[in-house]
Amino acid sequence: MLIRAEDSVLIVIDMQERLVPAMQAPARTIKNTRLLLTAASACNVPTIITEQYSKGLGPTIPEIKTASPDSPIVEKMHFSCMEDPQFKTMFSALDRKQAILVGMEAHICVVQTAASLIEDNYEVFVVSDATASRTVDSEEACKVRLNASGAHMVTSEMVVFEWLGKAGTPAFKSLLPLIKH
């Protein structure tokens, strides 16, 4: 199945000031999440950003906020975004069938959100190069579990090019320099 812009919501999970530095490859995760946020804007894909217990983990990092300044930020305490009533209401109101997940920590909040979305019959795509955990073992276990549960593991470029659908459009021309970089 293709990832389609008109069916998608990009969910950026818990990319917060006190969490990001503890992750494996944080620069890669930030770069690819920024690419996805820019592509989401160019392709009219709504985005929701979450913060897990911001009092303890701090706010969303500036690199993410500035890439998508109009995206709502939902404070949560549940590990699964779908267990948070505010998030679930906001997500459901968008009436889209595909969830594109990025963020931290892959083996906790990302995997639990994916599981909840799958239980609710959404198509779930987890962007492997835009998610992270503190350890490689946790990231690998997360990928195995997600694959077994029916989530689709994809890369940021796969998402961008499927959202675009074809070359030569204004969105394609604006995103190409970011992809080549």
Side-chain angles (χ1 to χ4, degrees):
M1 87 190 57
L2 283 175
I3 302 168
R4 299 193 184 277
E6 64 272 12
D7 294 330
S8 295
V9 177
L10 177 63
I11 303 169
V12 180
I13 301 172
D14 307 344
M15 294 188 67
Q16 295 165 253
E17 287 181 350
R18 292 189 194 101
L19 196 54
V20 171
M23 297 298 113
Q24 294 287 319
R28 176 205 71 183
T29 304
I30 294 166
K31 176 183 175 257
N32 290 323
T33 300
R34 286 180 55 85
L35 169 62
L36 288 165
L37 287 165
T38 303
S41 178
C43 296
N44 298 311
V45 173
T47 300
I48 303 171
I49 298 171
T50 69
E51 292 180 348
Q52 177 75 29
Y53 182 60
S54 61
K55 184 177 176 182
L57 296 175
T60 300
I61 60 171
E63 297 94 327
I64 299 305
K65 281 185 186 176
T66 59
S68 189
D70 298 327
S71 294
I73 297 176
V74 178
E75 170 89 18
K76 65 184 183 66
M77 292 297 288
H78 292 90
F79 299 123
S80 168
C81 295
M82 290 298 282
E83 298 297 320
D84 178 83
Q86 181 187 4
F87 177 90
K88 188 169 186 167
T89 299
M90 187 180 295
F91 178 80
S92 298
L94 294 169
D95 197 28
R96 306 269 179 126
K97 66 180 182 178
Q98 296 180 331
I100 315 304
L101 305 182
V102 302
M104 301 170 179
E105 285 196 60
H107 68 290
I108 302 171
C109 294
V110 174
V111 80
Q112 289 186 38
T113 299
S116 294
L117 286 160
I118 291 166
E119 285 176 353
D120 288 348
N121 297 312
Y122 289 98
E123 296 169 10
V124 177
F125 300 86
V126 177
V127 185
S128 62
D129 61 359
T131 58
S133 291
R134 285 171 281 136
T135 68
V136 172
D137 287 344
S138 290
E139 286 184 16
E140 291 305 314
C142 174
K143 289 176 189 175
V144 170
R145 182 168 177 202
L146 288 166
N147 276 326
S149 71
H152 305 277
M153 297 302 298
V154 295
T155 66
S156 54
E157 283 194 23
M158 291 168 73
V159 174
V160 171
F161 282 99
E162 288 180 43
W163 279 345
L164 289 169
K166 67 179 183 176
T169 65
F172 175 84
K173 290 174 184 174
S174 72
L175 291 171
L176 194 57
L178 300 174
I179 295 165
K180 288 182 172 181
H181 186 258

